[in-house]
Amino acid sequence: MFLFRLMNFIIGYVTITIRGEAPEKFINMAAARGIFLWDIARPGEQTVRANVRLNAVRPLRHIARRTRCRFHITRRVGLPFLWMRLARRKALAFGAVLFVLGLYLLSSFVWTIEVTGNSRVPTKEILSVASAAGLNRGVPKWRLDCPAVERALKANLPAISWAGVYVRGTRVAIEVVEKTIPEEKNQSPAHIVAIKAGVIKEVLVFSGHAAVKEGDTVVPGQILISGIIPPLQEQKPEQPGTETQGERPVPRQPTYVHAAGIVRARVWYEGYGEALLVETGKRFTGRQVTRVCMKIKGREIILAGPQKIPFLHYQTETSVKKPPPWRNLRLPVEIVISKYREVENYRLIRNRAEARRLAGEGALHAVQKQLPQGARIVHKQLDELVVKEPESLVRVKAFVESLEEIGTEQPFTPAEESQNQAPALPSQP
């Protein structure tokens, strides 16, 4: 079907209207002589409309005389007619050809350069290296060597591990991948201290001196892994010919390190939740309508949406959009978009078991907010709080025991530790 329409457009065809006492005889005689007619329609009793190719119009004149019919051309379609129109308007044809050539010529140059993937390397530096390699705005695309630009970027920018240059129309995209630089470890002296109270479950020391052991109870701020490694005591060697009353230890200086390790402890949390036995309030029904208005100097014109809100009770969300100012001119026009959401009153009655379940979920949710990432719950307990006077709600308290890492780094200076500890020198005999 597509090829048929394409051939008809290239050869050219016309739409003719046939009038006479027997237009059917005209069509039958044309078909008998091999003239193809299509899209035949009958708008009137003695009128027939059909399409025919341009080279078959002349033989139809003889058939019209034989059948005592008349026909006239109502529409001309195809390349020959377009060519005839352009031949009459040479300036228009020349302008169209010039426009196509200009469009093709302009699309053969690079007009936009984009850089993506860089965070540490400045974009100006990347564009400077690419410019030295031949990539500039306005350069012809046939003179652009993308592999050469990629090699120049990797050779002149050590922080880039990979670079790709892609031509997409009149835009060139430069995609880079920067090298990953490992972070330098902090080697300054530091302790591992507790950030919360708990009972020590596990101590794993990578660097430093363990200050607590399994089963110890710690409080916030207490040192778990010390960054001070105590010295080993050495015995003073005996000198020949001297008498010693006893062995005297020789003190050595402690070693200051950046403590590292894992300290896990059992930590307890409390949470509270409650649920009403009879709950009343308002809630959304899910139905909503949107109204769009144009406001001009206090006057509103509804562009879309209902004239009257179809809900008895509803909540409104409104957003206002204004045209951007141009120089010192501000147009007094606003587009107001209002969203109306229907609400309804409800009354919900719960039994005590369901209220206890909801209150327990609320208490556990309150505890979950306090838990740090990576904490593992090992035990939880829900207790209902009973009061003397009956209430219309159920109160539940949650007790949760978790196993989590409680250590954090605390830097220190050797001078401060020396003043805090102030070790006593061994007494002279």
Side-chain angles (χ1 to χ4, degrees):
M1 189 67 179
F2 174 76
L3 293 177
F4 174 73
R5 294 183 179 273
L6 180 61
M7 287 297 300
N8 289 335
F9 180 81
I10 294 174
I11 298 174
Y13 68 93
V14 295
T15 301
I16 60 174
T17 301
I18 307 164
R19 290 184 174 88
E21 296 181 358
E24 299 87 355
K25 187 176 180 182
F26 179 92
I27 295 174
N28 293 333
M29 188 174 293
R33 297 193 177 187
I35 300 175
F36 180 66
L37 302 173
W38 71 93
D39 291 345
I40 301 174
R42 187 159 191 168
E45 293 183 0
Q46 297 182 351
T47 305
V48 174
R49 186 174 61 248
N51 294 334
V52 62
R53 287 182 176 176
L54 184 61
N55 55 9
V57 174
R58 188 178 296 273
L60 288 178
R61 295 177 180 177
H62 177 68
I63 297 176
R65 288 194 294 268
R66 293 282 301 273
T67 58
R68 297 181 180 179
C69 294
R70 285 182 156 186
F71 72 88
H72 65 276
I73 299 173
T74 57
R75 188 168 66 114
R76 298 172 175 84
V77 182
L79 195 60
F81 302 106
L82 291 177
W83 180 256
M84 290 174 61
R85 294 173 189 171
L86 291 177
R88 295 194 212 103
R89 302 179 178 179
K90 296 181 180 180
L92 178 63
F94 178 74
V97 173
L98 190 63
F99 172 76
V100 174
L101 291 177
L103 188 62
Y104 174 77
L105 184 63
L106 291 175
S107 63
S108 301
F109 292 86
V110 175
W111 298 114
T112 307
I113 303 175
E114 295 181 356
V115 180
T116 58
N118 61 313
S119 59
R120 298 189 305 270
V121 182
T123 302
K124 291 184 178 179
E125 188 174 349
I126 296 175
L127 292 176
S128 176
V129 175
S131 176
L135 176 56
N136 295 286
R137 290 183 177 89
V139 66
K141 290 192 290 187
W142 63 82
R143 293 178 54 186
L144 179 61
D145 190 355
C146 294
V149 178
E150 295 174 358
R151 290 192 298 268
L153 291 173
K154 289 186 287 185
N156 298 311
L157 299 175
I160 292 179
S161 61
W162 177 85
V165 179
Y166 306 97
V167 179
R168 295 166 181 168
T170 60
R171 180 172 60 92
V172 174
I174 301 177
E175 299 179 5
V176 298
V177 176
E178 298 177 338
K179 293 180 180 178
T180 302
I181 301 176
E183 298 181 358
E184 296 182 359
K185 294 183 179 180
N186 187 6
Q187 298 298 333
S188 60
H191 297 305
I192 300 294
V193 299
I195 58 176
K196 58 183 66 177
V199 177
I200 301 299
K201 181 67 175 177
E202 179 185 4
V203 180
L204 182 60
V205 180
F206 300 147
S207 175
H209 176 70
V212 294
K213 62 182 182 301
E214 183 179 352
D216 290 350
T217 301
V218 297
V219 295
Q222 182 176 343
I223 297 177
L224 305 177
I225 301 176
S226 176
I228 304 175
I229 301 178
L232 297 176
Q233 300 291 339
E234 291 185 355
Q235 300 296 330
K236 184 178 180 181
E238 297 182 2
Q239 299 294 336
T242 61
E243 295 182 359
T244 59
Q245 297 179 355
E247 297 179 349
R248 180 179 300 171
V250 178
R252 298 178 60 187
Q253 294 297 325
T255 304
Y256 301 98
V257 298
H258 189 93
I262 298 174
V263 181
R264 293 189 178 93
R266 296 160 56 196
V267 183
W268 288 266
Y269 297 91
E270 293 183 2
Y272 173 78
E274 60 184 31
L276 294 171
L277 295 174
V278 179
E279 182 179 351
T280 59
K282 295 183 178 181
R283 61 186 177 189
F284 293 107
T285 63
R287 298 174 58 195
Q288 65 180 25
V289 295
T290 302
R291 176 190 288 175
V292 182
C293 300
M294 182 172 61
K295 191 173 182 180
I296 306 175
K297 292 184 178 180
R299 181 184 177 186
E300 290 189 353
I301 302 174
I302 299 177
L303 302 179
Q307 298 286 336
K308 184 179 180 181
I309 307 304
F311 310 135
L312 183 61
H313 303 286
Y314 55 86
Q315 287 188 1
T316 308
E317 299 177 4
T318 304
S319 61
V320 180
K321 297 183 179 180
K322 299 181 180 180
W326 183 73
R327 294 186 179 179
N328 295 327
L329 180 63
R330 293 181 176 272
L331 297 177
V333 180
E334 295 179 349
I335 299 296
V336 182
I337 303 175
S338 302
K339 183 181 293 186
Y340 302 91
R341 303 175 65 187
E342 185 184 21
V343 296
E344 64 178 359
N345 298 322
Y346 72 95
R347 186 172 186 269
L348 185 61
I349 301 176
R350 301 188 182 95
N351 55 34
R352 198 164 191 85
E354 185 179 0
R356 189 184 301 111
R357 180 183 62 82
L358 291 177
E361 291 179 357
L364 291 176
H365 183 67
V367 172
Q368 197 70 31
K369 292 181 179 180
Q370 307 176 43
L371 291 176
Q373 187 176 4
R376 180 168 60 90
I377 297 177
V378 295
H379 179 72
K380 57 184 176 181
Q381 179 181 341
L382 297 176
D383 294 336
E384 182 179 351
L385 302 179
V386 181
V387 296
K388 294 183 180 179
E389 298 181 0
E391 294 182 311
S392 61
L393 55 84
V394 176
R395 308 172 187 268
V396 172
K397 201 168 188 179
F399 301 90
V400 174
E401 177 186 345
S402 69
L403 183 63
E404 60 188 72
E405 188 174 352
I406 63 169
T408 185
E409 294 183 359
Q410 186 183 73
F412 70 91
T413 59
E416 294 176 354
E417 291 297 325
S418 299
Q419 293 178 1
N420 295 335
Q421 294 181 3
L425 295 175
S427 58
Q428 299 292 336

